[in-house]
């Protein structure tokens, strides 16, 4: 008979595996609820950051700060849980997504020390959505490979625009508040700059702002053609594919001679 310690170990191990499964799963109701909740918290926190760039009353501002702190606690708990369920703790710590999570969490706590430049890192919180991009694809019922690639391209572009907008706002607003009044002004400047339109009606005056402008231009020149090129390649590839819906995962883009689903391995009905 197993003693108490063995029972406890087996229970904890089973619980760890179950939690690890639901953190990555987007098909079962529990897994989808967990991931949708985490995605929702990220979006709420980003909305709060944007709202704080506009003139607000002290009451509203304090409530948004409280909301940010509550969400920060949730993110901290999530990080600790992910660390607990990880099979390889060292690999988890040095995983790029985990590093992003940790930096954002530390920034959230250190900002209470009134270290101004640390607030720049809060705009990188959108990168946490990389972990949950499959959730959004599932929500919008995007099944074709073209649709998934297009969704990833749009997400990449929006993420880069958001980060650059947040950074340029954080850098320019203190020294150039009449031009960079709100986050929308920063978004306008980022889009115009990255598309190399360059109207010239909004210009940064700080050295860091000008440096970010250079990065925006270079990113726009390199990123947009590259992403569009990937999409065109995929569109050409689909000419050799047929629509056969997998009974296991619902994926529909398969090669003509495919016998098994390329995503989950389920035998296809036409094979």
């Amino acid at each position: 008979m197993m003693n108490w310690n063995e029972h406890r170990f087996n229970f904890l191990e089973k619980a760890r595996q179950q939690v690890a499964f639901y953190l990555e799963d987007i098909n079962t109701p529990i897994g989808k609820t967990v991931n949708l909740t985490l995605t929702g918290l990220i979006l709420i926190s980003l909305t709060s950051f944007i709202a704080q760039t506009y003139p607000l009353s002290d009451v509203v501002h304090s409530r948004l700060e409280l909301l940010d702190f509550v969400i920060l606690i949730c993110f901290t708990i999530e990080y600790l849980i992910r660390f607990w369920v990880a099979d390889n703790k060292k690999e988890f710590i040095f995983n790029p997504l985990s590093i992003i999570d940790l930096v954002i969490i530390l920034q959230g706590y250190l900002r209470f020390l009134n270290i101004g430049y640390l607030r720049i890192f809060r705009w990188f919180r959108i990168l946490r959505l990389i972990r949950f991009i499959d959730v959004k694809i599932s929500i919008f019922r995007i099944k074709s490979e073209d649709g998934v690639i297009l969704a990833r391209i749009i997400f990449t572009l929006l993420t880069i625009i958001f980060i650059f907008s947040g950074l340029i706002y954080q850098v320019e607003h203190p020294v150039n508040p009449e031009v960079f009044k709100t986050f929308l002004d920063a978004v306008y400047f980022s889009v115009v700059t990255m598309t190399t339109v360059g109207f010239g009606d909004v210009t940064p005056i700080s050295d860091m702002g000008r440096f970010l402008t250079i990065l925006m231009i270079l990113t726009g020149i390199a990123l947009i053609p590259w992403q569009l090129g990937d999409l065109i390649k995929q569109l050409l590839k689909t000419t050799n594919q047929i629509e056969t819906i997998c009974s296991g995962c619902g994926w529909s883009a398969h090669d003509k001679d495919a016998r098994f689903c390329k995503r989950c391995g389920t035998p296809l009905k036409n094979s």
Side-chain angles (χ1 to χ4, degrees):
M1 295 180 62
M2 292 190 298
N3 57 33
W4 166 249
N5 288 332
E6 291 176 332
H7 276 295
R8 184 176 63 177
F9 174 80
N10 290 336
F11 172 79
L12 290 176
E13 180 63 19
K14 184 178 180 180
R16 187 185 70 84
Q17 294 177 358
Q18 194 78 4
V19 172
F21 171 77
Y22 286 130
L23 282 174
E24 303 298 332
D25 173 67
I26 59 172
N27 295 315
T28 65
I30 295 178
K32 186 173 290 187
T33 300
V34 169
N35 284 278
L36 281 176
T37 300
L38 293 172
T39 302
L41 289 175
I42 297 172
L43 294 175
I44 291 172
S45 68
L46 295 176
T47 303
S48 175
F49 288 162
I50 294 173
Q52 291 179 53
T53 68
Y54 290 83
L56 300 172
S57 65
D58 292 338
V59 175
V60 175
H61 189 272
S62 62
R63 288 179 179 176
L64 289 177
E65 288 285 346
L66 177 60
L67 176 63
D68 289 342
F69 183 72
V70 172
I71 293 176
L72 178 62
I73 295 297
C74 294
F75 288 162
T76 304
I77 295 173
E78 180 211 352
Y79 180 86
L80 295 175
I81 291 176
R82 288 187 183 276
F83 178 79
W84 172 58
V85 303
D87 293 325
N88 189 324
K89 310 297 184 186
K90 183 178 180 181
E91 182 179 336
F92 169 81
I93 292 175
F94 291 100
N95 183 283
L97 292 177
S98 300
I99 293 174
I100 291 173
D101 292 346
L102 183 60
V103 169
I104 291 170
I105 290 172
L106 292 177
Q107 176 275 326
Y109 290 109
L110 292 176
R111 67 188 176 92
F112 293 107
L113 300 178
N114 292 323
I115 304 177
Y117 68 87
L118 286 176
R119 297 182 69 85
I120 290 178
F121 291 98
R122 67 181 184 170
W123 299 102
F124 286 92
R125 186 168 289 187
I126 193 174
L127 293 177
R128 299 199 72 241
L129 287 175
I130 295 174
R131 190 191 297 274
F132 305 101
I133 188 171
D134 289 336
V135 178
K136 297 187 289 296
I137 290 174
S138 175
I139 292 173
F140 292 104
R141 302 182 182 277
I142 301 174
K143 297 297 183 180
S144 68
E145 194 167 357
D146 291 339
V148 171
I149 291 178
L150 181 60
R152 293 182 184 277
I153 290 174
I154 293 174
F155 173 77
T156 300
L157 293 174
L158 291 178
T159 297
I160 292 176
I161 291 173
F162 182 90
I163 291 177
F164 272 128
S165 300
L167 294 179
I168 197 70
Y169 173 83
Q170 204 71 51
V171 169
E172 284 293 315
H173 179 70
V175 298
N176 198 7
E178 293 302 319
V179 175
F180 291 88
K181 296 179 181 179
T182 65
F183 181 75
L184 182 60
D185 295 325
V187 171
Y188 167 77
F189 174 76
S190 298
V191 173
V192 169
T193 303
M194 289 185 64
T195 55
T196 66
V197 174
F199 292 127
D201 53 338
V202 178
T203 56
I205 61 175
S206 68
D207 291 338
M208 182 57 71
R210 291 169 179 168
F211 176 71
L212 286 173
T213 302
I214 295 173
L215 290 182
M216 287 184 197
I217 296 173
L218 295 177
T219 301
I221 292 174
L223 177 70
I224 296 177
W226 173 48
Q227 293 282 32
L228 292 178
D230 284 346
L231 180 60
I232 293 173
K233 288 179 182 178
Q234 184 57 38
L235 290 175
L236 293 176
K237 180 181 176 182
T238 54
T239 58
N240 294 321
Q241 293 179 335
I242 57 175
E243 184 174 346
T244 303
I245 299 177
C246 172
S247 60
C249 66
W251 188 260
S252 61
H254 297 94
D255 295 334
K256 293 180 180 180
D257 58 348
R259 298 174 56 193
F260 300 92
C261 177
K262 65 193 301 182
R263 204 175 194 188
C264 69
T266 300
L268 299 176
K269 292 181 179 180
N270 67 337
S271 60

